[in-house]
Amino acid sequence: MNSKIGYVDSFSKFAKEFNPDYDKYVKLQEMGVCVFITCRDDKKLIGYAVFSIMSHIRYQSCNLAMEDLYYIVPEYRGKGLGKQLFIESESILKSR
């Protein structure tokens, strides 16, 4: 899995529904408050998860990650990849 952001082609077919601000996502990632984690079959993008990162209100020494969105391509669903994506995401987020 790769945590670098790139243009996600699968967003484009939903752009009218979601209407994401790609520039804002990139800026938030550069600021370290947004993390993109991708799932790939070789180089083919088959899923992703996006998390917002913030300081915890009550525990200042802890950060909090909130899942913003996730997606697995339909033909790859039912194979445990979503679960694997979240397990890997948790590991990546804890290491930050």
Side-chain angles (χ1 to χ4, degrees), residues 11-28:
F11 270 153
S12 61
K13 67 181 175 182
F14 300 110
K16 291 180 183 172
E17 293 176 30
F18 293 138
N19 195 21
D21 184 339
Y22 294 109
D23 292 334
K24 190 175 284 184
Y25 271 118
V26 170
K27 188 173 232 172
L28 291 171

Side-chain angles (χ1 to χ4, degrees), residues 17-74:
E17 293 176 30
F18 293 138
N19 195 21
D21 184 339
Y22 294 109
D23 292 334
K24 190 175 284 184
Y25 271 118
V26 170
K27 188 173 232 172
L28 291 171
Q29 185 183 29
E30 290 170 353
M31 293 168 49
V33 297
C34 192
V35 176
F36 292 78
I37 300 170
T38 62
C39 182
R40 298 177 182 271
D41 184 1
D42 290 321
K43 294 184 179 187
K44 179 183 177 185
L45 179 66
I46 59 170
Y48 50 85
V50 181
F51 296 88
S52 298
I53 310 297
M54 63 190 78
S55 296
H56 197 286
I57 295 171
R58 290 182 297 273
Y59 307 102
Q60 294 181 35
S61 63
C62 294
N63 286 331
L64 177 67
M66 293 185 355
E67 174 259 318
D68 179 31
L69 64 97
Y70 68 94
Y71 180 79
I72 299 290
V73 173

